Amino acid sequence: MAHATTAPAAVPGPGLTLHGLGVEGVNQCVHCGLCLASCPTFAELGTEMDSPRGRIFLIKSLAEGRIGLGDRTVEHLSLCLDCRACETVCPAGVPYGRLIEAARAEIERQRPGPAPRRFFRWLNFGLLLGHPRALRVAVGGLRLYQASGLQALLRRTGLARRLPGTLAAWEALLPSLPSAAARAPLPAVTRAAPPRRGRVAMLTGCVQAVVFGAHNRATARVLARNGWEVVAPPEQGCCGALNAHGGDHARALAMARRTIEVFERVAAEAVVVNTSGCGAHMKAYGELLADDPAWAERARRFAASVRDVAEFLAVEPLRGPLTPVRMTVTYHDPCHVVHGQKIRRAPRDLLAQVPGLRVVELPEADWCCGSAGIYNLTQPEMADRLLRRKVANVARTGAQAVVTANPGCILQIQAGLRTRGLELPVLHLVEVLDRAGGEVPPGPR
Ligand code: SF4
Ligand code: SF4
């Protein structure tokens, strides 16, 4: 995304840093180019500076003070999805995700943009993500917008598409919001079905808790059915993943410290997460707080206890008896599960245990759908190109439903399918496992 103002070049500190964040990892790149074929933006645009290797070169040049943050540089860096597909294939172990997040924090420091943009960022990153109560009020207002028929009217008349700025993109992505009762927080404790295996803590998330509370309830039920008592601390808030992704480094640090503090109070064997971006981010708290002597050790310990829900459940076979779920599904790998946490087999192994379920492999299953945090709002054109590619691949499978494991992917793929007139549900993995547990009638909803 280009901004109107030009600011002075980055001043390199000791070592290679951007926004005070170490980017020495750029020197690990041996320029082999093996990552190029895995990069969605390079595949779409074919330009070196929109490839991982090109962006690493830009980040290194910035950190060494050889270039400044001109419009083109900002554009190339902003077009990156932070999907980390390049990390998966890199033989030199370049920590690309950390590098691009440092670069984004530097962009925000040097080029915060005009007042409306700064306000919008504060509204999202500061007010809504930072204060769960404010988020609940906002979602309540949006629910009213839907229930009153105003949304249907704006969509029917085409006015929704003419909303200013990124509001049109926000509006198009808005899912059908749950009622106040369905937005109720998860109980602080969900008892384990006997025989009890132990106790886990669960991140209920910020947006996840109010928009996809059903996924949280399904997660707790599946864990409980498999012998785990589930503790959901009511005082938890946002983990800071979206802030870090969007270059809002200071708030991301504060949210990480708060999350650690809240979960340290729960004596649990693991912190289970059902949103991929949050899980990948919380597993990186150790690196995020490495330079803070008061928090470094606590952050490392906490990060080691974080588990994606699929990775956690797949360790043991699912407890039966399992109810058949008779349908054909295809699985989309969220970037921050498959690339951010290197979890590829666990969700497939779990789906394979569900009787009656047929799973067909999705072509380019680990290719980003264009959601990527708030990328579909800040880079709608590229996000749409990637979404079209994803939807075309889904259509090729003949599946009756798409299964994935991240709210952003669910919203994005749902919107893409809707636009192309395909009436396929997009389910979270835990919803399928929950149906197999027998409490919800099987089959597409
Ligand atoms: S694969 Fe790794 S080492 Fe090779 S160009 Fe890409 S980032 Fe650099
Ligand atoms: S994170 Fe994704 S979009 Fe960005 S350079 Fe790597 S592969 Fe390309």
Side-chain angles (χ1 to χ4, degrees):
M1 183 194 334
H3 302 298
T5 54
T6 304
V11 180
L16 281 179
T17 63
L18 281 174
H19 195 74
L21 301 168
V23 291
E24 278 83 2
V26 290
N27 290 323
Q28 285 168 239
C29 177
V30 294
H31 319 294
C32 64
L34 286 175
C35 52
L36 269 59
S38 302
C39 175
T41 57
F42 180 73
E44 290 293 325
L45 301 172
T47 41
E48 174 71 13
M49 287 307 153
D50 294 303
S51 79
R53 185 172 61 187
R55 292 186 179 119
I56 289 166
F57 175 76
L58 289 178
I59 294 169
K60 183 168 157 54
S61 306
L62 275 171
E64 290 175 344
R66 286 187 284 114
I67 61 168
L69 275 174
D71 287 352
R72 297 301 302 273
T73 302
V74 172
E75 253 171 61
H76 293 307
L77 294 174
S78 300
L79 259 182
C80 172
L81 296 142
D82 195 4
C83 68
R84 296 170 64 181
C86 45
E87 265 188 34
T88 297
V89 295
C90 175
V94 174
Y96 183 83
R98 189 147 48 79
L99 305 184
I100 193 70
E101 284 181 7
R104 292 218 169 127
E106 183 64 17
I107 292 172
E108 290 309 319
R109 184 185 73 82
Q110 287 196 35
R111 305 189 49 162
R117 181 180 182 275
R118 293 202 302 275
F119 171 75
F120 198 62
R121 282 176 65 81
W122 169 82
L123 184 72
N124 287 303
F125 292 145
L127 184 66
L128 298 178
L129 295 181
H131 300 87
R133 223 171 271 165
L135 187 61
R136 283 187 177 278
V137 171
V139 170
L142 287 170
R143 161 92 182 164
L144 198 63
Y145 160 69
Q146 292 183 330
S148 66
L150 185 58
Q151 179 183 48
L153 181 70
L154 289 190
R155 285 188 174 182
R156 217 174 31 246
T157 54
L159 284 174
R161 284 196 302 277
R162 288 195 221 126
L163 289 170
T166 56
L167 278 180
W170 277 98
E171 208 291 324
L173 277 176
L174 198 62
S176 178
L177 293 167
S179 65
R183 294 199 301 274
L186 199 65
V189 178
T190 305
R191 286 190 196 288
R196 185 181 185 274
R197 279 188 174 136
R199 179 188 231 215
V200 293
M202 186 178 145
L203 180 88
T204 50
C206 47
V207 178
Q208 173 82 352
V210 285
V211 178
F212 290 115
H215 299 172
N216 283 347
R217 286 190 290 281
T219 304
R221 278 195 297 267
V222 172
L223 287 165
R225 211 176 278 133
N226 281 278
W228 296 98
E229 179 175 286
V230 182
V231 180
E235 66 276 28
Q236 64 178 296
C238 174
C239 70
L242 281 173
N243 295 63
H245 200 85
D248 186 27
H249 184 62
R251 283 199 198 94
L253 286 180
M255 289 168 168
R257 291 188 186 104
R258 188 170 180 277
T259 304
I260 293 169
E261 214 160 41
V262 167
F263 281 95
E264 274 178 346
R265 288 187 222 127
V266 182
E269 288 170 49
V271 178
V272 176
V273 186
N274 63 7
T275 47
S276 60
C278 308
H281 182 62
M282 288 159 71
K283 285 182 178 180
Y285 276 0
E287 291 159 35
L288 195 69
L289 291 163
D291 295 332
D292 183 339
W295 286 86
E297 184 47 36
R298 288 169 75 177
R300 258 195 304 275
R301 239 191 345 259
F302 173 83
S305 72
V306 176
R307 296 283 181 282
D308 176 75
V309 64
E311 138 185 75
F312 185 79
L313 285 167
V315 172
E316 305 262 1
L318 291 171
R319 269 193 191 164
L322 295 173
T323 305
V325 179
R326 298 192 197 285
M327 61 175 166
T328 301
V329 300
T330 193
Y331 180 75
H332 160 72
D333 291 280
C335 300
H336 284 85
V337 172
V338 68
H339 303 306
Q341 301 180 65
K342 315 292 179 230
I343 299 169
R344 193 180 291 268
R345 281 200 54 182
R348 291 173 171 82
D349 287 351
L350 290 168
L351 291 173
Q353 294 178 54
V354 177
L357 192 73
R358 185 169 160 258
V359 185
V360 284
E361 198 57 37
L362 176 65
E364 298 183 342
D366 63 357
W367 202 255
C368 183
C369 63
S371 168
I374 54 167
Y375 187 92
N376 43 6
L377 303 172
T378 58
Q379 302 291 340
E381 197 187 314
M382 176 58 74
D384 194 53
R385 284 167 80 154
L386 298 174
L387 181 58
R388 280 170 198 269
R389 192 169 172 144
K390 181 63 65 182
V391 169
N393 280 325
V394 168
R396 247 173 246 141
T397 65
Q400 294 165 282
V402 180
V403 179
T404 187
N406 187 50
C409 304
I410 292 174
L411 289 179
Q412 173 81 342
I413 298 173
Q414 256 172 2
L417 292 169
R418 201 169 46 232
T419 307
R420 278 105 192 147
L422 293 167
E423 293 298 321
L424 266 65
V426 185
L427 306 171
H428 193 292
L429 171 71
V430 292
E431 290 185 285
V432 180
L433 303 181
D434 191 35
R435 290 180 190 199
E439 285 189 12
V440 183
R445 274 178 215 182

